[in-house]
Amino acid sequence: MDWRADIAQGLRPVIDLVYPPRCPLCGDAIAAQGGLCVDCWSELEVPGDPACSSCQRPMGSVEAARAGDCFACHDNPPLHSGIIAATLYDDASSKLVMAFKHGGKIALAPLLARLMSAKMPDFGSKPPLLIPVPLHRLRLWQRGFNQSALLARELAKAGKGELLVDGLRRSKRTPSLGGLGSEERRRALDGAIAIRAGAAARVAGREVVLVDDVLTSGATSDACVRALVGAGASSVRIACFARALPMSAREKQKAVSA
């Protein structure tokens, strides 16, 4: 423990007295800063087994998981080498993300990153590069921070990899992708994300973990993965706090037929 940690530990009782610890979701009193109350913890849905080995989508049985990828990955094989999701996107995780990203509560970064870190594997003696999904400079200026970069920094502090905060750049400001079809999303992101020129040599031959707060349609992460693989990354996994589960074509057909 360094002197900064010693000072922080010594000041904690004073901080707790002035700012009593509160759950960031419901506002109830909690034992320590940087956590959730028991009820809110229970509302977070954490991915478990059995699950698809490619995307971590929950599967109905161990036998189904052993048989291969889920319907979504079988129908549309992913570009990435796997998804590491701390939670599934639901009301509780959505509230945390909204408070973090749009509410400016950047102090939530350590909590969200701890949950992500708990799901990450041991990469051995050669830690991966941790590269955040980039923001366009105007979006960065408006928000004041890149939420994915804050998460990547916390993961690096936890020993989960080597931070390369500016490995990717977003040269084109894209519209909101919500409500767009897959082809429209692809066109909107075409040429928007690329490897920063000075980072290409560091990416080549390395395992990469692409860090994001929420994984929804996957269009943005796919553009990032293509850029990283194109620069020679040996593999690219995606680590996110919350992951939405889109329906595969077969699942949609089943829903319509039901």
Side-chain angles (χ1 to χ4, degrees), residues 134-147 149:
L135 288 181
H136 186 268
R137 62 182 180 276
L138 291 180
R139 182 68 57 81
L140 182 61
W141 178 77
Q142 289 171 343
R143 187 171 295 162
F145 61 92
N146 179 349
Q147 70 280 357

Side-chain angles (χ1 to χ4, degrees), residues 96-174:
L96 282 172
V97 169
M98 292 297 287
F100 175 49
K101 180 160 62 175
H102 300 296
K105 295 185 177 180
I106 61 174
L108 286 172
L111 168 63
L112 306 189
R114 281 201 307 271
L115 293 172
M116 295 168 64
S117 177
K119 302 289 289 186
M120 294 178 71
D122 181 5
F123 289 94
S125 59
K126 185 77 169 179
L129 287 176
L130 299 169
I131 299 180
V133 170
L135 288 181
H136 186 268
R137 62 182 180 276
L138 291 180
R139 182 68 57 81
L140 182 61
W141 178 77
Q142 289 171 343
R143 187 171 295 162
F145 61 92
N146 179 349
Q147 70 280 357
S148 299
L150 294 180
L151 293 174
R153 184 179 65 182
E154 294 297 329
L155 291 174
K157 287 181 183 178
K160 293 300 180 179
E162 175 188 341
L163 180 61
L164 182 56
V165 73
D166 58 350
L168 292 168
R169 61 181 180 87
R170 197 166 191 144
S171 58
K172 182 172 76 172
R173 189 175 185 185
T174 54

Side-chain angles (χ1 to χ4, degrees), residues 28-242:
D28 283 354
I30 54 177
Q33 305 282 358
L36 299 176
C37 70
V38 173
D39 289 341
C40 288
W41 273 120
S42 66
E43 291 181 14
L44 289 176
E45 188 174 358
V46 178
D49 293 324
C52 172
S53 59
S54 294
C55 74
Q56 212 178 30
R57 174 190 291 266
M59 300 183 75
S61 66
V62 174
E63 290 72 21
R66 287 174 180 165
D69 292 336
C70 65
F71 284 160
C73 289
H74 186 274
D75 292 343
N76 186 24
L79 299 173
H80 57 73
S81 300
I83 294 173
I84 305 162
T87 67
L88 298 181
Y89 196 69
D90 59 11
D91 287 343
S93 61
S94 172
K95 288 177 184 176
L96 282 172
V97 169
M98 292 297 287
F100 175 49
K101 180 160 62 175
H102 300 296
K105 295 185 177 180
I106 61 174
L108 286 172
L111 168 63
L112 306 189
R114 281 201 307 271
L115 293 172
M116 295 168 64
S117 177
K119 302 289 289 186
M120 294 178 71
D122 181 5
F123 289 94
S125 59
K126 185 77 169 179
L129 287 176
L130 299 169
I131 299 180
V133 170
L135 288 181
H136 186 268
R137 62 182 180 276
L138 291 180
R139 182 68 57 81
L140 182 61
W141 178 77
Q142 289 171 343
R143 187 171 295 162
F145 61 92
N146 179 349
Q147 70 280 357
S148 299
L150 294 180
L151 293 174
R153 184 179 65 182
E154 294 297 329
L155 291 174
K157 287 181 183 178
K160 293 300 180 179
E162 175 188 341
L163 180 61
L164 182 56
V165 73
D166 58 350
L168 292 168
R169 61 181 180 87
R170 197 166 191 144
S171 58
K172 182 172 76 172
R173 189 175 185 185
T174 54
S176 172
L177 302 181
L180 299 182
S182 58
E183 183 59 27
E184 291 173 307
R185 290 191 185 102
R186 189 194 65 77
R187 285 200 299 268
L189 286 159
D190 187 33
I193 296 174
I195 292 287
R196 183 179 58 83
R202 291 185 63 183
V203 169
R206 293 290 301 273
E207 285 186 290
V208 173
V209 172
L210 178 70
V211 180
D212 205 359
D213 59 333
V214 180
L215 180 64
T216 51
S217 69
T220 301
S221 60
D222 280 353
C224 293
V225 172
R226 279 194 291 269
L228 291 165
V229 171
S234 61
S235 68
V236 182
R237 294 193 230 191
I238 302 167
C240 61
F241 168 67

